[in-house]
Amino acid sequence: MVPRAVGQAPTLTLPRKRGREIYGVTVFLLALLGQQVLVALALKRNRERDGSRHRLTLVDAITLSRGGTGALMTGLIASGVRDRRGLAGWLGWIALLYGAIVSDWLDGPIARRLGTSEVGAMFDIEADSWLTLCSSATAVSWGGLPAYVVAPPVARYVRIAVLRRWVPYRHLVSGDPLWTRHVGMAQMMLFIAALAPFGGRATRFLVKIATPLVVAGQLFTLAIVSWREMNAEIHRDS
């Protein structure tokens, strides 16, 4: 510790670890706030389009909690977490299990029983996409995966931004073949395995082998689905 010179005014500093924790919490709260703003805008746009007021239901709450999981993982990345086996690593992994498995299993049966609106269906798709993007970044940050695993989640948003000039949003996010969901599940299982706070050499070897196959499969899926949507839109216009 360097002694302070005589007459030098004391300075107020935070330890680096505490500063990173505060930064992580700030990013988490900003991500949550951003989600709520987007939800409010979606509800407002739906009301202006057809005059209906969609009240958030239990199904919507479960769906949007996946966005909360994504925000939590974003905050953990910002806080500088690098240890899968530490407390923060366990917290992120358990949150990922909830978001990717538990909440996805819960809101499906409840939605089929209680019904859902067009806005609720959009929330479901976008919450999944946001969680996938955050999970991929987390898997790179402290899961040991190569940076290119982020390419498919980012490509999904690029695809929507580009194709919306010709294809309506509702066609871009609905009606995909069932097999595309299986590819998406494989992608999420890869992230879960990479971030698991346990597992030995065998697990890491399988993750290493599976990574390029899953990424290539997801990019191929996006290309096929985009081609199908463009083709369908051409036939609708003709």
Side-chain angles (χ1 to χ4, degrees):
M1 183 174 181
V2 179
R4 180 164 51 89
V6 177
Q8 179 181 349
T11 57
L12 183 62
T13 60
L14 288 172
R16 171 172 292 190
K17 182 177 179 180
R18 180 64 61 186
R20 294 291 294 182
E21 289 174 353
I22 293 174
Y23 180 60
V25 171
T26 302
V27 171
F28 165 64
L29 293 176
L30 288 175
L32 273 184
L33 178 62
Q35 172 180 301
Q36 295 308 113
V37 170
L38 291 175
V39 168
L41 289 174
L43 293 176
K44 179 181 179 182
R45 183 174 181 180
N46 185 68
R47 185 167 61 250
E48 291 174 347
R49 184 175 61 246
D50 55 23
S52 62
R53 295 183 63 87
H54 177 85
R55 296 183 179 276
L56 295 181
T57 64
L58 174 61
V59 178
D60 296 325
I62 296 174
T63 297
L64 293 174
S65 69
R66 293 204 292 278
T69 298
L72 172 63
M73 301 187 80
T74 303
L76 289 175
I77 294 173
S79 68
V81 172
R82 294 295 181 271
D83 183 12
R84 298 194 317 275
R85 294 176 172 82
L87 178 61
W90 273 98
L91 176 63
W93 188 69
I94 292 172
L96 179 57
L97 288 182
Y98 165 77
I101 299 176
V102 178
S103 70
D104 204 26
W105 284 353
L106 282 175
D107 68 358
I110 295 175
R112 286 190 291 271
R113 185 178 181 85
L114 302 180
T116 186
S117 68
E118 181 181 343
V119 178
M122 180 189 67
F123 289 163
D124 182 55
I125 293 168
E126 293 302 333
D128 284 345
S129 298
W130 170 242
L131 178 59
T132 302
L133 177 61
C134 295
S135 301
S136 66
T138 306
V140 172
S141 178
W142 83 78
L145 294 190
Y148 65 78
V149 301
V150 183
V154 171
R156 185 261 177 187
Y157 288 101
V158 173
R159 162 181 161 262
I160 290 179
V162 172
L163 295 185
R164 279 197 68 185
R165 296 179 57 187
W166 302 281
V167 185
Y169 171 83
R170 65 181 181 277
H171 294 155
L172 287 171
V173 298
S174 63
D176 291 345
L178 180 61
W179 62 269
T180 63
R181 181 171 177 82
H182 298 327
V183 177
M185 290 170 61
Q187 180 180 234
M188 190 57 71
M189 291 306 298
L190 174 67
F191 300 153
I192 291 174
L195 292 170
F198 48 85
R201 292 182 178 179
T203 301
R204 305 309 299 172
F205 176 76
L206 291 175
V207 167
K208 184 177 180 180
I209 295 298
T211 297
L213 299 176
V214 171
V215 172
Q218 191 65 22
L219 290 173
F220 176 76
T221 298
L222 286 171
I224 292 296
V225 169
S226 299
W227 178 81
R228 284 166 55 98
E229 288 159 352
M230 285 294 295
N231 213 24
E233 190 64 23
I234 290 172
H235 283 82
R236 276 191 291 265
D237 293 340
S238 60

